[in-house]
Amino acid sequence: MNEINSTDYHDYVIKDGKLIAQFEQMYKNASDIPWRQNQQESWIDVRLTKELLADEKNISRIIDYGCGTGHYLDILVRGLGGNGLGFDISETAIVKAQNNFPNYSFKTGDLMNPNSFDVASINEESIHVIRGTLWYVFPKLSVVIKNIFDQMSSGDTLLVVQNFPPLSSNFVGKDVIPDPQTLISLIDKSTLSLQKSIWYEQFKDNANDSWFIGKFKK
Ligand SMILES: C[S@@+](CC[C@H](N)C(=O)[O-])C[C@H]1O[C@@H](n2cnc3c(N)ncnc32)[C@H](O)[C@@H]1O
């Protein structure tokens, strides 16, 4: 694999219509915090997710798969309570996340690799979250879903939050997840039942800023 020499995080993610997925190098070399993870508090999906989860109570733990620098996990824990646990494929991201949020736990783990998580089961409800990460793991989506499913206890929630490019455009991953309905059916297959969802579609420009938010129960 070619070494990438860039301080622009985009160069490590998707380039020229191809998935690059060099996240460890990205977190090491990027000059900015990738995806502006530290500035998401007012984003539309964050506001909509708050509404979707408004009646959640007694959350003991929130687990974020593909947690990056931990900022999104922190938004959820501040809103809902509980302990925070984050996993990411990048060791450098995990070190940054742990420095940012010393009260939560962070570990490396690969969503596309079977058995790479070890979430201890507890007697109270946990929320398992995957946000903004599916476009980087879609080649093994069934493994990703099973990996998370295997960490969930009965009664736990899975929150899937995913931005989409304009559905009519040609985007990387469209062959697997062409639209939110397909995503729902791919997740439903593995015995998680959809409880609520929001599809926020943005037609204004070509931005990657339409959002699917789904709450599933095991
Ligand atoms: C767009 S960021 C989302 C970060 C965070 N969830 C948020 O919403 O702010 C995607 C994250 O997924 C991580 N990631 C990519 N592929 C992964 C994999 N196979 N296993 C675990 N994490 C992965 C990347 O390192 C990156 O931190």
Side-chain angles (χ1 to χ4, degrees), residues 38-91:
N38 58 335
Q39 298 172 31
Q40 316 190 92
E41 197 96 34
S42 64
W43 288 20
I44 183 71
D45 75 293
V46 173
R47 288 184 276 144
L48 292 171
T49 299
K50 262 185 198 152
E51 290 299 324
L52 191 93
L53 297 178
D55 51 4
E56 287 291 334
K57 291 187 196 83
N58 306 321
I59 303 306
S60 297
R61 187 172 58 175
I62 302 178
I63 305 158
D64 189 2
Y65 301 86
C67 64
T69 51
H71 291 89
Y72 183 68
L73 176 63
D74 181 52
I75 291 174
L76 290 182
V77 171
R78 276 191 281 117
L80 296 166
N83 295 318
L85 169 59
F87 291 99
D88 201 279
I89 195 167
S90 161
E91 172 78 41

Side-chain angles (χ1 to χ4, degrees), residues 100-153:
N100 291 336
F101 304 104
N103 291 337
Y104 309 153
S105 303
F106 294 96
K107 297 179 188 174
T108 52
D110 181 356
L111 280 159
M112 294 202 285
N113 194 359
N115 309 318
S116 50
F117 302 108
D118 58 346
V119 174
S121 65
I122 53 174
N123 282 332
E124 294 142 291
E125 187 184 339
S126 301
I127 297 188
H128 303 249
V129 184
I130 180 163
R131 172 176 182 260
T133 301
L134 295 178
W135 300 127
Y136 318 129
V137 296
F138 69 84
K140 294 198 177 165
L141 191 60
S142 56
V143 175
V144 172
I145 295 167
K146 183 169 186 323
N147 261 340
I148 299 178
F149 180 83
D150 286 348
Q151 303 307 317
M152 296 175 69
S153 300

Side-chain angles (χ1 to χ4, degrees), residues 18-51:
K18 284 211 179 79
L19 181 60
I20 309 288
Q22 297 268 323
F23 297 106
E24 176 56 13
Q25 288 307 311
M26 178 193 77
Y27 279 109
K28 273 194 178 144
N29 299 341
S31 53
D32 295 326
I33 297 178
W35 298 281
R36 290 180 286 138
Q37 288 174 64
N38 58 335
Q39 298 172 31
Q40 316 190 92
E41 197 96 34
S42 64
W43 288 20
I44 183 71
D45 75 293
V46 173
R47 288 184 276 144
L48 292 171
T49 299
K50 262 185 198 152
E51 290 299 324

